[in-house]
Structures are given as C-alpha cells and as structure tokens.
Amino acid sequence: MLNRHEPNSHLTPAVDRRQFLGACAAGMVAASAAPSLGMGGSASSNEPAHTAPLAFWALTGKLESDDVNRQLDAFAEAGWGAVFYPRWGSEIEYLSDAWLERIRYIVDGAANRQMEIWLYDEFCWPSGHAKGLVTKDHPELAAQILCVEPDGRSRIEISPENANMVMRAATDRFLAVTHERYADAVGHHFGKTIRAIFTDEPSLPSQHKPRKPGETAWRFMWSDQLNQALGGEFVERLAEAGAGVATSPLWRDYWAAYAKVYHDAWTRPIADWCAAHKVALSGHLLGENDFGSHVTNYGSARGQLSEFHIPGIDEISTRWEVDRCEALTLATIAEFPGRERMVEAFALGPCTMQMDTMRKMVDLCAACGVDRYVMAISPFDLRGNYFQRNWLSVLSVQSPWFRHYARPFAEYLAEAAKTARKAQPLGVPWPTDEELWEVAGPSPRHSKALQQKTSTFREEAREAIRARMAKPSAIPVAHRTPLDTAWTFQPAGLNSLRIDRPSLTVLDVPATAELSIQTQLVKGVRINGTPVDLASAPIDTQFDLSYRRLSVTHLLRVGENTFVVESDQSEPLKFLPALILWGGFAVDDKQQLVAPPKTIPLGDWRRHGYPAFCGVGQYRATVQWPVAPSQLGLDAGGYPARVLVNGKECGRRPWGPFQFNLHGAAHCGTNDIVVEIASTIGHLFTPQSAPPIGLIDVWTC
C-alpha cells in the first residue's frame, strides 16, 4: 500500500501486474481516506464558518490604488471575499517586484476590511507552469510527451515552455517561483486574511485541445520518475506489443503508475507546502464529468482531490436542472464531507444571466455539499475580453445589480451552507480505480467501457440528487387586481447604446451625452470630422476602467452624425464594444436618438426607447387606492427589483417570488410608487439576444 507520508518506492518489471495495480489502487484509496488537515473551517470545526462568495477577481490593467480601493470597498460592503486571479490584460509583469508590491497593497487593504482572500497559483490557466517561469533557464524541467503509434513505435517530444507535471523537480521549481515568492511578500497574512491557494486544472495546455486532424499517435505525459515506476522498460514493451498495442494490458500499468506518480510528484507536494504554511490547498481538476477524463488527466479523481484541504469542482456551465446537471462532478465533491467544498461557477454565463439562475445553481450544489462559491468571472476591468472573446460573465462592480443585490446573494449562500455542510456522499457505488484502468486503453476518453460506466453512474447520481432536492413549496395564489395606471420611466443614471456603425441619426440632441472609448481597440476617433482628444479623456470610473469617457454633447448635431474610428479590429467585438454612448436620450425603432418618452407602457423596455440600456431603470406612478392593498406583485422578466411606496422601501428581490408587502407603506388615497429594476451588462453587449426586461406586468393583492 502507498503511504501518503512516505517516499515513493519504485516498482520493477518483476512485480506481478495484479500486485502492481493493487499497490497503485491502494495508494489512491489510502489518499482518499486520509483525514483533512482541518483548514477547511467546516461547521464542525472550532474556526468560524466561512461562507462569503469569493469574487474570481481578474487582476488586469495597472491596479491603481484608488481603483483598487473602490472595488475592495464594494466587495467588502457586499460581504464578498476574493480570489486574486492574474489574467490576460494585466499591464504588470506576473510575479515581478511590481506585481508583488501590488499584491501586498491589495492584501493589506483586504485585511483592513476583514475580507477573506485566496491566492491563485498561475497566470490564467492551466496551473503548474508559472507563465513559463518553471522552465525558463531550466530546460530539463520541460514537459515530455510520449507519442505512441498504433503499431507500437514511440517517440518522446519536448514541450519547452510547459513544466513536467510528473517530475517532482518541476513541482519544486514551481513552488519556488510562485508560492515561495508570495510567502515572502504576504506570508504574514497566511492563515488569517489569506486562507487558501487556488490551483486551476493543473495539466498541460495540450490536454485542453483536441487531436490534430490526421494525427495517429496517442500522447501521454512522461518522465523518468514515471518510467521508473513502470519498471524502466515500458517503451520496449510497447514496441514488443506491435500491432496489438491498442488492446494491450500495458495500459493498465501506465494509468496506475501515472495516477501514483502524478499524486506523488505534483498533488502531494503542493498540499504539503500549503499545510506547512498554514494555508489551505483548494481549486479543481481538469475534466471532472466523465471517467475517461478522470483517467486521462490525473489517473484518479478522488485520489488527487483527497489531498485538497478545500476540495473543489468546476461547474461554469451553470447546469442547474437535475436532468442536465454535471452529476459525476457533483458526486465527486459529495465524497468529502467534513470539509469546506468549493465550486467555481457561472463563468460561461450567459452575460444576461438572471440571479434566479444563480440561486438555482446554489440549491443544486448545496444538496451535494458545496458551501463555497468562486464567482467567475469578476473582472477588475474588461480589458481581458480583448484576449478572451468567446464568453463573458461579469459578477462584479460593472454589473448593474451588484450594488444592491450582491449582499442578499451572500446572505443566501450563508443559509445554503447550513444545508451543504450536512450533505453526505450520494451513496452511488463508485467503480474502483483499478476497474477504470483495466478498460481505459490508450485513449480513455474514447473507451466504450468507460463511456458506459460514466453514463450509468451519471444517471444513478442524478436520481440520488433528485431525491435530495427540496420540492418547491406551493405559493398560494391570491386574487390579483391589475394595476392599471400610467408609468413614467427614466434610468437611474444614463441610457446606453453601443456604437458599432459609422453613422448615427440624432433627431433630438440630448442635454447630456458621454462617450466611453475602449482604449485597447481605439487609437483615434473623429465625430463629425472633429478629432476626440483621447489622451486627455479621464478613465471611466463610472462603467469600466478599460475605457476612457468624455462629454460629446457639443459634437453631436441634429441629423446624421459620423463616427470615424481608427482601430485594428475590422469587425465589432461581441463582448467588448469599441464605443458606448451614454446620455439622456431614447432610441426609436430605426435606431435614431430621440427625446425620452413622457410615459411608457408595461412591457419590455427595450421596445420603448431603451434597446441596450445597462443600468437600473426607475418606473414611477401615482395611484388612487380607496382601500390600501396588502401586496404588490410584478413581473420584471426575472431580473432584480426594488419597490418603494410613498418613499418607504417595501423590499428588494434578487429573484422571485416578486411579491412586496405594502403594510405600513400604502394607504387609502393618493400613493406614489417607484419600481426599480436592475439589468445586466449583457443587455448592452448583446442586446439582440438579451431576454425581455422591464415592468412587464404589475398587480395588487
């Protein structure tokens, strides 16, 4: 049996294959059964129970102190912590002295605000390479790929910029250039403000990519340590297998040894370093939702995750419906009761996602034991969207709902954690690691046997999850009286419109018009022939720090207005508009700027002058009630809403039911009603595909 606290012993060809597989499997089982180091702060611990959402705070731009402090204030006011996530768009070199100075400043600010902070161990992802620093000047630590052809011939390829994940020396170098540097800079905060270090899909970049067209070779991670664990003659035995290599039992040996060496060379050293420095290891693995990926990427999911003090999963697709949920992923995290259990969630959005969708995802995860949420992505600014153009999720200060509804979300998580911390494993029988290795073959993701095991397990896990999910309680339907009245509407700030065309017709010049200009995309702008002075335009602290914003009221005129943009982008970017116009205007069905309407009918506000509005919209009405109603109900398209009657707040609802108690606020006679509805950033960035939003219906009970 592999003892997780003893040095790895080398296996030789003389060892019987069954003994060999049994030793590797026993090692993984022993690791799975190993006790937590007590850093999770679970409900049974003497430590305070941690429940704060953790903004996956993409640290981009220059991280100027004033901007940092504004966002720290917003997170602290909402009751959120943060994971510091170095990402594309950073203008400070990763792990440079300047970077570490900014980290010190931000951690000190978080400590003063009593926030929980986690560090992130990589630049973007996957973890393990330190943006190439591990192999810089150390070519001997570069990843090795064993390429095996269908006839048994093989060769070893070197991936120079990627660290070897199955070489202990590469892991030690990784710790030296990342974790040790952070310990020197902010180690006095370890175990206090800084509670964990997040590792993200530790793997090779090639493991994230499909096979190239026409490629026949199977590709495997390789190292001298792995070769020795296989007896030192694995390549020769592959060649001896010849054309029968695809069905050779040698692959059972490889996957068993790979799981063990990955554990000993990567996972355990990282966990031991964290434990020695009084921080928890958290994060998640790559490809958790099928057994083929478990074997391919790390050999044994539960064996590797057992070393995590706060084990985690990745569920960024937000599949909250039980029939569609990532059941194998959720079943995996359910295997670790007694610890905090984390999910990275929501990153694939969509960018118009309702908070009710987030709530449903929390309910699903809580049933499987998840009590910590890493909110992906929470960008410091949006400049990273220049590099990542495929999706957008903004769970931070740029979102119109954040100011008033981020704290209620945090409070909901605290309640959900009470359920989550009681959750035990799902009770679905797991195949042993040895059973998976036996049928994995050279391409586990394509193994029919593993696909069938995944399908069977997934359905059984969904049944177990379904049994745990609380059935929604029936809400009594009171008699509804439609509230038939005239409504006025205005943005709490300014209307918004992305400018993607070279001309804009203005029928009524607004008294206020401001233009946000994306600094990465735009090198110069002319409005009606007049150049805009980009250099003197201030940073847009109202919307996003990657834009500059200035008044353009004096440059607009009645009739056609031309916008000439100097940019290296030939087409508009979906998730990063080059120009955004803000102002006191409405937009008609011909996309012309007109004066705001005096009243607005019930329904989607996009159809009534606000097709790309990003912000909080305020509806107002004055009504006569002979008898004060007890409740006001509304349909806002499922988006967060707030109601005030006669100046008294009757509630904020991030999700339904959107019923508001009017006792103490409404009275017989004249009543003033205000309904505020918060949109998403997606209503500006993807207006054509955004769901309906606005005061769609309203009634009293």
Side-chain angles (χ1 to χ4, degrees):
M1 175 182 288
L2 171 65
N3 186 320
R4 67 191 291 269
H5 297 295
E6 294 297 330
N8 179 26
S9 59
H10 299 312
L11 297 168
T12 66
V15 176
D16 177 83
R17 177 172 289 118
R18 287 293 174 186
Q19 293 177 326
F20 173 78
L21 293 172
C24 294
M28 293 296 101
V29 171
S32 291
S36 166
L37 294 181
M39 296 182 186
S42 68
S44 60
S45 168
N46 292 326
E47 298 180 23
H50 295 271
T51 63
L54 296 161
F56 209 24
W57 201 17
L59 298 181
T60 50
K62 296 180 179 179
L63 303 175
E64 299 286 0
S65 297
D66 287 348
D67 302 327
V68 164
N69 286 322
R70 276 194 298 270
Q71 293 200 22
L72 284 175
D73 284 342
F75 287 134
E77 183 177 341
W80 288 31
V83 178
F84 292 178
Y85 174 32
R87 198 173 192 237
W88 308 293
S90 173
E91 297 184 4
I92 305 172
E93 182 58 36
Y94 178 56
L95 293 178
S96 65
D97 289 344
W99 172 263
L100 293 172
E101 184 280 324
R102 286 289 81 192
I103 294 298
R104 278 192 294 269
Y105 181 86
I106 302 171
V107 173
D108 286 345
N112 291 336
R113 294 166 174 84
Q114 298 183 316
M115 293 173 59
E116 178 184 357
I117 296 300
W118 294 10
L119 300 177
Y120 184 89
D121 69 3
E122 187 53 75
F123 182 89
C124 291
W125 81 94
S127 290
H129 315 282
K131 201 185 178 185
L133 291 177
V134 172
T135 56
K136 183 180 180 182
D137 301 324
H138 289 273
E140 74 280 6
L141 303 181
Q144 301 174 42
I145 309 297
L146 177 65
C147 304
V148 182
E149 297 290 348
D151 61 3
R153 289 178 300 127
S154 64
R155 65 186 184 278
I156 294 176
E157 294 181 355
I158 304 299
S159 183
E161 294 185 357
N162 300 312
N164 196 325
M165 309 293 292
V166 286
M167 179 188 289
R168 174 61 189 265
T171 303
D172 290 341
R173 173 70 179 161
F174 175 70
L175 287 168
V177 299
T178 54
H179 295 54
E180 293 289 353
R181 297 289 308 284
Y182 280 126
D184 289 343
V186 291
H188 57 290
H189 288 291
F190 281 7
K192 294 173 282 191
T193 298
I194 298 175
R195 291 192 61 242
I197 296 179
F198 187 111
T199 193
D200 197 353
E201 301 180 354
S203 54
L204 302 183
S206 60
Q207 291 176 270
H208 298 245
K209 300 174 182 177
R211 286 164 62 92
K212 297 177 182 178
E215 184 178 35
T216 58
W218 301 297
R219 300 169 66 84
F220 308 92
M221 293 175 70
W222 192 247
S223 69
D224 288 343
Q225 188 173 344
L226 182 52
N227 187 35
Q228 291 169 12
L230 285 161
E233 298 177 354
F234 187 71
V235 169
E236 291 78 5
R237 285 184 282 160
L238 290 175
E240 291 172 3
V245 71
T247 57
S248 170
L250 289 171
W251 299 116
R252 297 179 301 187
D253 295 3
Y254 175 82
W255 296 118
Y258 173 55
K260 181 174 181 293
V261 173
Y262 185 104
H263 173 271
D264 291 352
W266 169 263
T267 311
R268 189 173 67 190
I270 301 292
D272 287 348
W273 188 97
C274 290
H277 290 78
K278 296 181 171 52
V279 290
L281 170 62
S282 191
H284 62 83
L285 302 170
L286 169 66
E288 303 138 313
N289 198 38
D290 65 272
F291 288 127
S293 293
H294 287 195
V295 174
T296 300
N297 295 329
Y298 30 82
S300 169
R302 291 185 294 166
Q304 309 301 344
L305 271 183
S306 69
E307 296 286 2
F308 286 53
H309 311 125
I310 306 177
I313 55 173
D314 186 37
E315 215 307 63
I316 57 176
S317 297
T318 320
R319 295 173 182 156
W320 59 266
E321 308 95 327
V322 174
D323 289 341
R324 297 181 61 245
C325 74
E326 300 277 12
L328 178 50
T329 304
L330 292 164
T332 303
I333 201 63
E335 289 290 300
F336 298 96
R339 309 187 199 185
E340 289 178 58
R341 290 172 275 186
M342 180 276 298
V343 63
E344 178 189 339
F346 309 124
L348 295 184
C351 55
T352 56
M353 182 170 56
Q354 298 167 338
M355 293 190 74
D356 188 50
T357 299
M358 295 162 60
R359 177 192 64 81
K360 291 172 180 175
M361 192 68 206
V362 170
D363 292 345
L364 173 70
C365 289
C368 300
V370 173
D371 61 345
R372 302 308 311 275
Y373 291 79
V374 172
M375 308 293 289
I377 300 294
S378 303
F380 185 78
D381 62 35
L382 295 172
R383 74 187 68 231
N385 296 350
Y386 179 83
F387 304 91
Q388 172 51 267
R389 304 181 180 189
N390 296 327
W391 66 80
L392 174 70
S393 179
V394 179
L395 305 172
S396 52
V397 297
Q398 298 90 340
S399 294
W401 55 262
F402 189 90
R403 178 180 175 188
H404 290 301
Y405 299 98
R407 175 165 282 280
F409 181 76
E411 292 167 351
Y412 190 83
L413 291 189
E415 287 298 311
K418 296 176 183 178
T419 298
R421 289 171 179 172
K422 297 175 184 176
Q424 297 297 311
L426 295 183
V428 179
W430 283 81
T432 66
D433 288 330
E434 185 177 358
E435 288 172 338
L436 300 180
W437 301 333
E438 287 271 1
V439 296
S443 184
R445 292 193 188 95
H446 297 96
S447 164
K448 298 295 185 184
L450 289 185
Q451 290 173 3
Q452 183 58 51
K453 286 180 182 293
T454 295
S455 178
T456 300
F457 187 96
R458 187 180 289 154
E459 289 309 309
E460 292 179 0
R462 284 176 177 159
E463 283 301 315
I465 294 170
R466 186 176 291 108
R468 291 187 177 191
M469 296 294 290
K471 293 182 173 57
S473 56
I475 300 174
V477 179
H479 176 72
R480 295 181 175 184
T481 302
L483 186 57
D484 186 13
T485 189
W487 294 90
T488 63
F489 176 83
Q490 67 178 29
L494 299 173
N495 195 7
S496 54
L497 184 69
R498 60 180 292 165
I499 305 295
D500 291 329
R501 297 180 300 174
S503 66
L504 175 68
T505 300
V506 177
L507 301 185
D508 190 285
V509 176
T512 300
E514 298 171 359
L515 190 68
S516 291
I517 303 166
Q518 173 50 233
T519 55
Q520 292 176 113
L521 301 177
V522 178
K523 310 306 177 187
V525 182
R526 290 177 176 269
I527 300 177
N528 295 326
T530 301
V532 171
D533 186 2
L534 283 176
S536 63
I539 298 297
D540 188 349
T541 58
Q542 299 177 66
F543 173 60
D544 184 76
L545 300 169
S546 66
Y547 287 81
R548 291 183 176 271
R549 184 164 176 161
L550 73 166
S551 174
V552 294
T553 307
H554 62 291
L555 297 178
L556 299 181
R557 63 195 182 197
V558 173
E560 184 178 9
N561 292 255
T562 60
F563 293 78
V564 177
V565 178
E566 180 185 344
S567 173
D568 58 1
Q569 297 296 312
S570 58
E571 296 292 332
L573 297 187
K574 181 177 182 180
F575 297 129
L576 198 66
L579 304 178
I580 302 171
L581 186 65
W582 309 85
F585 56 78
V587 183
D588 68 12
D589 56 5
K590 296 180 181 179
Q591 293 294 294
Q592 302 174 126
L593 261 59
V594 297
K598 295 190 185 320
T599 60
I600 188 170
L602 295 181
D604 187 348
W605 68 38
R606 296 178 309 158
R607 299 177 180 275
H608 303 295
Y610 301 89
F613 174 48
C614 176
V616 176
Q618 293 182 336
Y619 289 82
R620 295 178 179 270
T622 300
V623 299
Q624 296 290 329
W625 280 325
V627 177
S630 60
Q631 288 189 329
L632 184 141
L634 59 86
D635 175 3
Y639 290 98
R642 176 187 183 216
V643 169
L644 299 96
V645 175
N646 298 320
K648 181 176 180 179
E649 181 171 311
C650 299
R652 302 172 192 264
R653 302 282 187 274
W655 43 69
F658 291 99
Q659 295 284 124
F660 299 85
N661 191 329
L662 302 186
H663 289 299
H667 51 245
C668 62
T670 302
N671 291 262
D672 295 318
I673 304 174
V674 176
V675 177
E676 294 183 346
I677 300 168
S679 79
T680 67
I681 199 170
H683 285 87
L684 168 61
F685 282 13
T686 59
Q688 300 304 318
S689 59
I693 185 171
L695 192 55
I696 295 170
D697 195 10
V698 61
W699 59 88
T700 59
C701 301

